[in-house]
Amino acid sequence: VLLGAPGAGKGTQAEKIRKALDIPVLSTGNLLRQAIAAGTELGKKVESIIDGGNLVPDELVFGLVAERLREPDCARGVIFDGFPRTIHQAEALDKALAVDVVLDLEVPDDVILHRMSGRRICPNCQASYHVVDNPPRVEGVCDKCGAALTIRHDDQPETVKARLEVYHKQTEPIKEYYRAQGKLRTVQGQPRLSDTVRLVSEALGVAL
C-alpha cells in the first residue's frame, strides 16, 4: 500500500515498484477517472463528488477494487495507489487480503501545491509528468504514447487545498492503524526524484 497526500509522488514510485516486482498498480484514482470518462451512471456520481474535492463513498470504491482484483494479472499481488483512504477501508482491505507493507511518502503541503499545479497527465495511458520537475521529452506530449498531455481538474489549486484538508482529516489516521501492525515504513520526499527513489528502495528492500 502506498500512502501519502495527493501529489506526494505515489504514482511515480508505484510505477518503479511495478517494474521491479512485475505486479500491477491498482490506482483507485485511475479506476474512478475511467468510470467518469466512460460516462456511466457510476462515473457521473463520482465526477460530482471529486469536483467538490471529497472522497468517493466506500461502497463505490470497493466495487471498482473488487472488480479489478478478479483480473488474472492480480494473482501474484498488487500495489495499491490511493487505497485505502479511510480506517474503514483499511479494515475492509485487511479482511479481503493480507497487506505486506505500507509505504508512507511524507511531503509538506506547500511542496504539493507546487507539484500539482505543474502536473500534466496523459489521458490515454495515465503517465504523469511535471513541467519543471519531470518534463516530457517534447513539451505537452506523452513520452510513452504520443498523446497530448492535459491538466486534471483535481490538480487546480483550490481543489488541491480541499483534497489536502480531506487527506489530513480522513486518511492520515491510517498511518497509526498500520504502525500498530508493524507494517508502516516512512520516507521523506526529496527535491530530487532520484533521492526519493533511493530512499524508497532502501525502505522496501527492493532494487528500483
Side-chain angles (χ1 to χ4, degrees):
V1 169
L2 291 180
L3 186 61
K10 298 186 299 296
T12 300
Q13 299 305 321
E15 179 62 15
K16 293 186 177 299
I17 299 166
R18 180 194 69 77
K19 288 179 180 177
L21 299 180
D22 193 26
I23 57 175
V25 175
L26 198 160
S27 166
T28 50
N30 286 347
L31 291 176
L32 293 168
R33 280 186 284 275
Q34 287 163 12
I36 292 171
T40 61
E41 201 61 39
L42 171 63
K44 292 173 185 175
K45 288 181 184 177
V46 167
E47 186 170 27
S48 63
I49 294 166
I50 290 179
D51 282 351
N54 298 307
L55 291 181
V56 178
D58 287 347
E59 62 271 16
L60 298 184
V61 178
F62 287 152
L64 287 169
V65 170
E67 194 173 86
R68 180 68 181 88
L69 284 173
R70 285 193 289 268
E71 295 182 23
D73 63 337
C74 294
R76 292 177 51 248
V78 298
I79 302 157
F80 283 104
D81 172 8
F83 181 85
R85 292 193 181 191
T86 65
I87 292 287
H88 180 245
Q89 288 183 1
E91 291 171 343
L93 184 60
D94 275 347
K95 292 176 183 176
L97 49 79
V99 172
D100 297 307
V101 63
V102 178
L103 182 73
D104 173 34
L105 287 172
E106 289 287 330
V107 179
D109 285 4
D110 58 339
V111 174
I112 284 173
L113 282 167
H114 159 76
R115 283 185 180 180
M116 296 184 78
S117 64
R119 185 155 72 173
R120 301 294 182 267
I121 301 293
C122 176
N124 183 43
C125 71
Q126 303 300 320
S128 179
Y129 302 88
H130 191 280
V131 293
V132 176
D133 303 331
N134 181 34
R137 288 191 293 269
V138 177
E139 185 177 349
V141 179
C142 178
D143 290 348
K144 296 182 178 180
C145 69
L149 301 178
T150 61
I151 303 173
R152 294 197 323 226
H153 171 80
D154 50 2
D155 286 339
Q156 300 293 340
E158 289 310 309
T159 307
V160 172
K161 290 176 184 176
R163 292 174 70 200
L164 285 170
E165 282 185 27
V166 170
Y167 172 78
H168 292 311
K169 181 179 179 182
Q170 298 189 33
T171 304
E172 271 198 315
I174 293 178
K175 289 193 285 189
E176 292 307 318
Y177 175 82
Y178 284 122
R179 183 177 284 117
Q181 295 182 6
K183 296 178 179 177
L184 187 73
R185 301 178 193 178
T186 300
V187 166
Q188 300 294 330
Q190 303 297 309
R192 291 177 56 188
L193 175 60
S194 60
D195 290 333
T196 304
V197 172
R198 175 178 52 79
L199 292 174
V200 169
S201 178
E202 290 172 358
L204 296 180
V206 173
L208 302 180

